[in-house]
């Protein structure tokens, strides 16, 4: 029997989903609108939804405007530097996590080692530990050994955020791969490295791409580590904080910075959507 999709219950459910979607997207729409408004239009009440858009805030954000040519006077932001810092740090953190995390996930999934589950949960515990518990003691250590405000130091400390995730995700992906495939390759004379390289990794590719996107987003949006352990190498999340200058209304410029900050993750998600969906639903090989 065919269900009637126009029943009051289904209409109410559709309206509820639409209302939830509007509530979730309204802050994003508001930020985009704010980034296209003049400074005076942002503070008007009631808010104006119809206005003449301007790109002045983006020009100020990337230091493309001449001094005194904008309503902000001689402000110099240079937002391109923190964007570059975030790209380098996030990509570096993802690369290091993949190199170190996939072998660790393979060992936890395939090898019988003592206290394997305890080790796995210990690693996962770093993901849920408060960031300040790690970053405050490391501040003096970083200054002593010369890692403060360096790409290497930031990529290394970001492993606290990214490495536990990639270890656990790769472990679950590997457990979904039939072990018979590896045993068959080993019986044919393949060495353990060749088994992993030619059998396991190709099957892990969709899951690893999805996991890489997830941990990239975690690194991109991290705030506390960059705030305390960097200065000139500060990421975009810290650079946005510097626009909160008392006495000067930088809200439109800050909104433009938020738009730019959102563009990179959105583009990556759109480009890797197919792999992200397969990675999140990675199951047994048929």
């Amino acid at each position: 029997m065919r269900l009637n999709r126009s029943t009051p219950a289904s209409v109410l459910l559709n309206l509820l989903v639409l209302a939830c979607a509007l509530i979730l997207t309204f802050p994003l729409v508001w930020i985009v609108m704010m980034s296209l408004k003049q400074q005076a239009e942002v503070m008007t009440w009631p808010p104006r939804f119809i206005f003449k858009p301007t790109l002045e805030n983006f020009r100020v954000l990337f230091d493309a405007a001449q001094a005194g040519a904008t309503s902000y006077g001689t402000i110099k932001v240079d937002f391109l530097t923190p964007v570059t810092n975030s790209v380098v740090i996030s990509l570096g953190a993802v690369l290091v996590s993949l190199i170190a995390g996939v072998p660790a996930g393979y060992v936890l999934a395939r090898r019988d080692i003592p206290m394997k589950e305890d080790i796995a949960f210990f690693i996962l515990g770093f993901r849920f530990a408060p960031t300040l518990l790690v970053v405050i003691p490391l501040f003096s250590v970083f200054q002593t050994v010369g890692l403060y405000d360096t790409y290497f130091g930031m990529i290394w400390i970001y492993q606290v955020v990214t490495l536990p995730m990639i270890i656990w995700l790769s472990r679950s992906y590997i457990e979904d791969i039939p072990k018979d495939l590896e045993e068959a390759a080993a019986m044919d004379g393949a060495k353990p490295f060749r088994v992993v390289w030619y059998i396991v990794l190709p099957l892990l590719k969709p899951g690893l791409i999805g996991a890489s996107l997830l941990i990239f987003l975690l690194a991109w949006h991290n705030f506390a580590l960059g705030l305390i352990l960097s200065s000139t190498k500060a990421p975009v999340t810290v650079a946005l904080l510097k626009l909160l200058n008392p006495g000067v209304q930088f809200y439109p410029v800050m909104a433009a910075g938020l738009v730019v900050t959102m563009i990179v993750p959105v583009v990556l998600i759109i480009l890797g959507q197919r792999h992200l969906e397969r990675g999140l639903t990675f199951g047994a090989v048929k």
Side-chain angles (χ1 to χ4, degrees):
M1 181 178 63
R2 180 175 300 179
L3 295 177
N4 186 6
R5 296 183 179 273
S6 60
T7 59
S10 63
V11 173
L12 181 61
L13 181 60
N14 292 333
L15 291 177
L16 181 60
V17 172
L18 179 61
C20 293
L22 292 176
I23 293 174
L24 292 175
T25 57
F26 179 77
L28 301 178
V29 175
W30 185 261
I31 291 174
V32 174
M33 291 176 56
M34 186 185 298
S35 68
L36 299 175
K37 287 184 177 182
Q38 296 284 349
Q39 179 182 356
E41 295 175 332
V42 173
M43 305 303 296
T44 58
W45 185 262
R48 297 175 56 184
F49 293 92
I50 300 177
F51 57 93
K52 183 179 179 180
T54 178
L55 296 178
E56 180 187 40
N57 301 312
F58 292 93
R59 293 172 59 232
V60 173
L61 191 68
F62 289 101
D63 203 17
Q66 297 296 326
T70 71
S71 58
Y72 301 96
T74 58
I75 177 178
K76 298 291 183 180
V77 179
D78 188 20
F79 200 67
L80 184 60
T81 298
V83 171
T84 304
N85 293 338
S86 288
V87 171
V88 173
I89 294 171
S90 299
L91 289 179
V94 171
L95 181 61
V96 173
S97 295
L98 288 175
I99 294 175
V102 175
Y106 181 84
V107 171
L108 292 174
R110 290 290 192 250
R111 297 292 185 263
D112 294 327
I113 58 177
M115 303 177 63
K116 181 171 67 173
E117 294 298 327
D118 294 334
I119 295 174
F121 278 103
F122 176 77
I123 294 173
L124 186 63
F126 283 98
R127 177 66 186 90
F128 299 104
T131 305
L132 293 178
L133 290 180
V134 180
V135 70
I136 292 179
L138 283 175
F139 176 75
S140 59
V141 176
F142 267 48
Q143 288 187 321
T144 302
V145 300
L147 291 178
Y148 177 79
D149 197 28
T150 62
Y151 284 139
F152 179 81
M154 293 299 296
I155 291 172
W156 176 66
I157 195 60
Y158 267 47
Q159 300 308 305
V160 176
V161 178
T162 59
L163 187 57
M165 287 292 294
I166 200 67
I167 290 177
W168 266 79
L169 289 174
S170 61
R171 179 196 182 191
S172 63
Y173 296 158
I174 293 171
E175 288 177 344
D176 287 335
I177 298 176
K179 196 174 181 179
D180 296 342
L181 297 175
E182 301 176 49
E183 294 175 350
M187 291 179 62
D188 290 337
K191 300 297 183 182
F193 176 79
R194 294 179 62 88
V195 171
V196 174
W197 187 262
Y198 291 104
I199 302 298
V200 178
L201 286 182
L203 296 174
L204 282 179
K205 180 180 177 181
L208 291 181
I209 294 177
S212 299
L213 290 175
L214 290 177
I215 64 174
F216 179 89
L217 296 178
L218 291 176
W220 180 268
H221 293 293
N222 188 273
F223 174 74
L225 296 177
L227 177 65
I228 298 178
L229 299 178
S230 66
S231 178
T232 60
K233 300 296 189 298
V236 290
T237 50
V238 178
L240 289 173
L241 181 65
K242 296 179 180 179
L243 294 176
L244 293 177
N245 193 340
V248 183
Q249 298 176 1
F250 290 159
Y251 300 118
V253 179
M254 190 173 186
L258 287 172
V259 172
V260 174
T261 304
M262 291 186 296
I263 287 177
V264 174
V266 169
V267 170
L268 287 177
I269 290 175
I270 293 175
L271 294 178
Q273 183 177 5
R274 177 172 60 88
H275 296 288
L276 183 60
E277 292 175 354
R278 293 184 62 187
L280 293 176
T281 59
F282 193 82
V285 178
K286 295 182 180 180

